[in-house]
Amino acid sequence: MLVGKTNSVRGRILSILFATAGVTLAGVALAAAGAAVGAWAWPPQPSSPLGVFCGVVGGLIVIFEMLILPRKWFRGQRLGRTRTWLQWHVWMGLICLPVILVHAGFGFGGPLTTVTLVLFLLVTASGVWGLIMQQWLPQKLLEEIPGETIASQIDRMGDYHADEAARLVSALVTVPPEAESAEPVVSGPLAAELVAFRDDLLLPYLHSGDRSNSPLATPTDAEQRFARLREAVPGAAQQTLDRLQELAELRRRWDTQTRINFWLHNWLLLHLPLSVGMSSLMVLHAVRAMKFW
């Protein structure tokens, strides 16, 4: 979800950071202002009227935040626009930060409250981090990966291109049976070198990308190896080498796409389980607090 009205990635990221700091400072300043006029004591205590009020409000916000999960499960139902849900999710999450800090009296307390607060802070931090990634990485994908494909289909497309590369090299070093008197375009030791390049470096890289540990994953190494082959093979093979290099470059761009997609989505691997754990402990904390309040 893009934030702010500016097209600048830096501007959108700064908007997120300023909004996070601004909402937090405003919430704390409001609580401090109430204490200054004698409305409540300072610093606030979790069991004080202000602390209990903030705890209830914070708990309700957390419940609302967690509603985004069933919203995704029933995304086919008319439950409002996804963008609207995300906007509310972000803003309510930011508002919840000063509310919970005031509720906790800016301290940690016992083991349960400490773990709950630490999880809450990690959930908030991971959410802000994920929002920042969404401002930067999609634009990076558009700018750096012109041949972007569906992420789940990258290996399948790599297999398809590997089959094409195998056929192209075979066509250079062999002749079809019906052309008995013809000579291959590339023969002798150079043909053996080309086949070894295909089998040892190119095909593994097209099949598996970075996981193959092929030197073709590095642009400089790839350029040097293709340049060496291009100098050695006859002119009739130049167009085929160009295509082979194009296939390697395409796989390299898809590897970059895979890395960007990982960073674009991996924050959820932290944010979601932490949210569930924090919410569960919050309920336990509320139940225990009701017994002693």
Side-chain angles (χ1 to χ4, degrees):
M1 183 185 74
L2 297 182
V3 173
K5 299 180 179 179
T6 176
N7 291 326
S8 165
V9 172
R10 181 180 180 183
R12 293 197 298 269
I13 292 176
L14 289 176
S15 296
I16 294 170
L17 297 177
F18 282 134
T20 303
V23 169
T24 303
L25 291 175
V28 173
L30 182 61
V37 298
W40 44 70
W42 190 265
Q45 298 298 316
S47 58
S48 68
L50 174 63
V52 172
F53 173 77
C54 288
V56 172
V57 171
L60 292 175
I61 292 176
V62 170
I63 292 173
F64 171 79
E65 295 289 271
M66 295 304 293
L67 287 177
I68 200 168
L69 285 178
R71 166 65 178 79
K72 290 184 177 181
W73 298 336
F74 299 103
R75 63 179 59 186
Q77 307 297 321
R78 295 184 177 181
L79 299 176
R81 297 174 57 194
T82 300
R83 180 174 178 82
T84 302
W85 273 85
L86 289 175
Q87 287 175 334
W88 276 96
H89 185 81
V90 169
W91 281 109
M92 295 305 291
L94 294 182
I95 291 172
C96 194
L97 178 58
V99 170
I100 294 300
L101 290 177
V102 172
H103 165 68
F106 307 101
F108 288 99
L112 177 60
T113 55
T114 296
V115 174
T116 305
L117 181 57
V118 169
L119 287 179
F120 171 77
L121 295 176
L122 289 175
V123 168
T124 303
S126 61
V128 171
W129 172 259
L131 192 58
I132 289 174
M133 292 296 99
Q134 292 175 46
Q135 312 309 305
W136 171 39
L137 295 180
Q139 183 167 331
K140 186 177 179 67
L141 273 175
L142 290 175
E143 293 174 350
E144 298 186 8
I145 317 296
E148 181 183 0
T149 188
I150 301 174
S152 61
Q153 298 297 313
I154 287 178
D155 283 343
R156 180 174 297 182
M157 292 299 298
D159 293 341
Y160 176 80
H161 286 165
D163 291 341
E164 179 185 353
R167 292 194 303 271
L168 289 173
V169 174
S170 294
L172 290 180
V173 300
T174 61
V175 293
E178 61 271 16
E180 296 181 358
S181 60
E183 294 290 334
V185 177
V186 180
S187 60
L190 182 56
E193 179 183 351
L194 187 57
V195 169
F197 171 80
R198 177 196 67 184
D199 295 342
D200 298 339
L201 299 181
L202 182 58
L203 295 187
Y205 182 59
L206 294 179
H207 280 300
S208 304
D210 284 340
R211 301 190 305 274
S212 67
N213 295 320
S214 171
L216 297 181
T218 305
T220 303
D221 288 348
E223 181 62 36
Q224 291 175 351
R225 290 175 183 274
F226 276 106
R228 192 180 308 121
L229 287 174
R230 192 172 282 107
E231 291 176 357
V233 300
Q238 296 294 329
Q239 186 174 356
T240 298
L241 278 183
D242 290 342
R243 177 57 180 168
L244 296 178
Q245 186 170 8
E246 180 183 347
L247 294 178
E249 291 174 352
L250 188 57
R251 180 70 208 211
R252 197 178 307 115
R253 289 199 296 268
W254 289 346
D255 286 341
T256 302
Q257 177 188 339
T258 299
R259 289 192 293 271
I260 292 176
N261 276 324
F262 171 79
W263 286 106
L264 183 60
H265 301 293
N266 76 327
W267 64 277
L268 280 171
L269 300 176
L270 182 66
H271 186 70
L272 182 56
L274 286 179
S275 298
V276 173
M278 181 271 297
S279 300
S280 301
L281 291 182
M282 180 198 72
V283 173
L284 178 60
H285 165 63
V287 171
R288 291 189 60 181
M290 290 293 291
K291 292 181 178 180
F292 298 102
W293 187 51

